[in-house]
Amino acid sequence: MTATGASLAGHATRLAVLPFTNLGDSAGALVSYRKSVEILESLTRKGATNIDYLKNLRDAGHQTALLLVRLQRWKEAQEMGQKVLDISLRLVDLDPNNQEYRILLVRSYHVKGETVEELAGLARWLETTPERFGLTLEDLAALPAAPPVVATSP
């Protein structure tokens, strides 16, 4: 990896995880995460077996998938979860005995599981709940988005 490439990979990852940069601004955080993923995907295309690029891309994708779950953007979360899993599998293929890559693979299966579980739960809910209240999918789509619930202590 060139010094410029290493610097870019590090900056792309930090772009998405700067502390408090997008605190309370999920849309802004998602833009940052996606920009990070975009930069790292570009670097990875140039150095497909570069471990630093792959690890940084996996981490940025992991954070993006978790944010998409929180935003209830299930299909996008599931797609990103699959990308994260694919990257982890590539890392293990490059070095099957590397314990760090195997742990990242396990974590990737967790993220993938969360995205699939949430999507399946939503599908089950949509199949049964709305009709109990006389609602159609069009009725649900027309409802305004609810603000996030914030727990406060007394």
Side-chain angles (χ1 to χ4, degrees):
M1 173 182 344
T2 66
T4 303
S7 176
L8 249 164
H11 289 304
T13 300
R14 285 189 294 281
L15 174 68
V17 295
L18 287 173
F20 311 114
T21 301
N22 292 308
L23 189 60
D25 177 14
S26 296
L30 186 57
V31 169
S32 294
Y33 287 155
R34 286 193 166 151
K35 185 64 176 173
S36 178
V37 168
E38 179 185 314
I39 292 167
L40 289 161
E41 284 177 338
S42 173
L43 290 170
T44 302
R45 280 190 293 276
K46 295 174 186 170
T49 59
N50 184 298
I51 298 299
D52 288 331
Y53 293 165
L54 288 170
K55 285 174 37 180
N56 282 297
L57 177 57
R58 187 225 161 265
D59 290 346
H62 179 106
Q63 293 301 318
T64 304
L66 293 177
L67 178 59
L68 288 165
V69 167
R70 286 194 305 273
L71 294 172
Q72 299 179 1
R73 293 169 71 166
W74 312 119
K75 185 172 174 54
E76 293 171 87
Q78 188 174 19
E79 290 168 359
M80 185 57 71
Q82 185 61 52
K83 284 183 181 182
V84 169
L85 180 58
D86 292 343
I87 294 165
S88 294
L89 288 167
R90 278 176 60 192
L91 286 167
V92 171
D93 284 345
L94 290 171
D95 188 354
N97 296 318
N98 187 303
Q99 190 67 26
E100 176 189 3
Y101 304 161
R102 295 169 70 108
I103 290 169
L104 290 175
L105 179 60
V106 169
R107 290 181 183 153
S108 297
Y109 276 113
H110 288 174
V111 169
K112 179 67 176 162
E114 283 185 35
T115 64
V116 171
E117 178 182 318
E118 293 292 343
L119 187 60
L122 177 63
R124 282 191 303 276
W125 184 87
L126 286 173
E127 287 173 1
T128 60
T129 305
E131 63 191 34
R132 282 194 250 159
F133 298 101
L135 297 171
T136 65
L137 290 179
E138 291 78 22
D139 295 330
L140 291 175
L143 293 173
V149 176
V150 179
T152 58
S153 57

